[in-house]
Amino acid sequence: NAGVTQTPKFQVLKTGQSMTLQCAQDMNHEYMSWYRQDPGMGLRLIHYSVGAGITDQGEVPNGYNVSRSTTEDFPLRLLSAAPSQTSVYFCASSYSDSDYEQYFGPGTRLTVT
Amino acid sequence: GQSLEQPSEVTAVEGAIVQINCTYQTSGFYGLSWYQQHDGGAPTFLSYNALDGLEETGRFSSFLSRSDSYGYLLLQELQMKDSASYFCAVRDPKDTGRRALTFGSGTRLQVQP
């Protein structure tokens, strides 16, 4: 199993550009989520999904869109990048929303200039 | 809503024992988890407490007191490789009833020789 994979590892965007961060898992997990991590602020939940076709907003959803058309993939779209979105983005998955162990991808380090 | 509080930094020497505390406020409670994250890496699951008491996994133990809304992670026989950030996390029902995982801001542990 590859576990949770994320692409790209690094990305630099200009303000106003859009892009999609990719996340995939091969563990047949129903629950997937996106977090951003800023220095000293821990992990903040952006969006999550409890299964294909079902998504919900987390703590900091503004400026981001998600969709879940398959169990395996959960892409995160930045609509119009802003410097405040400079962060490290982690995708995570677990069997269900009641599962206490989440598996994290390696992260995408995004810089918006 | 929910909030978690943990100390921002802890320093200890190799071979010692260190305790990292976490207090939480949630509208519901489905257990307290702990994650470890080395610099530049992804968070990895360490332990979980659903009921009061101590859970032991090798050199690491985790404790929960639901009546006090308090838990801690205990690291024994500290090694240099234990230098990392440690996060507590809780599942809390949102308005939708789904249980997203919320993380504390993390405790940076520095182990000195």
Side-chain angles (χ1 to χ4, degrees):
Chain A
N1 283 352
V4 180
T5 58
Q6 291 184 238
T7 56
K9 283 191 167 57
F10 301 92
Q11 183 71 47
V12 179
L13 290 178
K14 294 189 187 312
T15 297
Q17 287 184 317
S18 63
M19 78 159 295
T20 299
L21 307 186
Q22 301 293 344
C23 174
Q25 51 88 13
D26 61 358
M27 297 175 282
N28 204 30
H29 285 172
E30 291 294 327
Y31 183 86
M32 296 185 74
S33 53
W34 276 101
Y35 295 87
R36 61 176 288 173
Q37 185 172 36
D38 304 306
M41 296 193 71
L43 293 149
R44 291 186 291 169
L45 183 65
I46 304 171
H47 286 284
Y48 64 100
S49 168
V50 297
I54 307 169
T55 63
D56 265 315
Q57 295 183 351
E59 181 187 356
V60 288
N62 292 342
Y64 307 95
N65 271 357
V66 291
S67 60
R68 184 98 179 270
S69 56
T70 67
T71 298
E72 294 78 21
D73 300 297
F74 191 43
L76 178 73
R77 296 183 191 84
L78 279 70
L79 309 173
S80 177
S84 61
Q85 293 179 304
T86 294
S87 188
V88 181
Y89 292 84
F90 288 102
C91 178
S93 73
S94 59
Y95 286 104
S96 72
D97 66 342
S98 60
D99 192 6
Y100 50 83
E101 179 175 0
Q102 283 204 116
Y103 297 81
F104 282 81
T108 295
R109 187 174 297 273
L110 175 68
T111 302
V112 183
T113 61
Chain B
Q2 65 284 313
S3 67
L4 299 100
E5 290 194 13
Q6 48 182 135
S8 57
E9 286 188 29
V10 173
T11 302
V13 297
E14 212 173 359
I17 299 173
V18 72
Q19 179 174 311
I20 298 173
N21 299 321
C22 173
T23 58
Y24 59 87
Q25 288 183 310
T26 59
S27 56
F29 183 73
Y30 295 93
L32 184 71
S33 303
W34 289 92
Y35 285 76
Q36 178 192 60
Q37 184 182 30
H38 287 99
D39 285 348
T44 56
F45 172 79
L46 285 178
S47 68
Y48 172 73
N49 295 72
L51 302 176
D52 292 352
L54 194 68
E55 294 282 342
E56 298 183 63
T57 309
R59 294 188 297 114
F60 294 2
S61 304
S62 57
F63 172 83
L64 175 66
S65 169
R66 288 174 295 170
S67 60
D68 296 321
S69 297
Y70 164 76
Y72 65 73
L73 181 68
L74 191 73
L75 295 82
Q76 303 182 73
E77 301 172 19
L78 280 173
Q79 301 175 9
M80 297 299 291
K81 68 178 182 180
D82 297 329
S83 292
S85 292
Y86 294 84
F87 296 88
C88 56
V90 293
R91 287 203 181 274
D92 189 30
K94 303 285 188 178
D95 292 338
T96 59
R98 299 187 185 116
R99 292 168 282 188
L101 194 64
T102 300
F103 285 80
S105 55
T107 298
R108 188 172 181 85
L109 170 65
Q110 188 170 2
V111 181
Q112 297 178 336

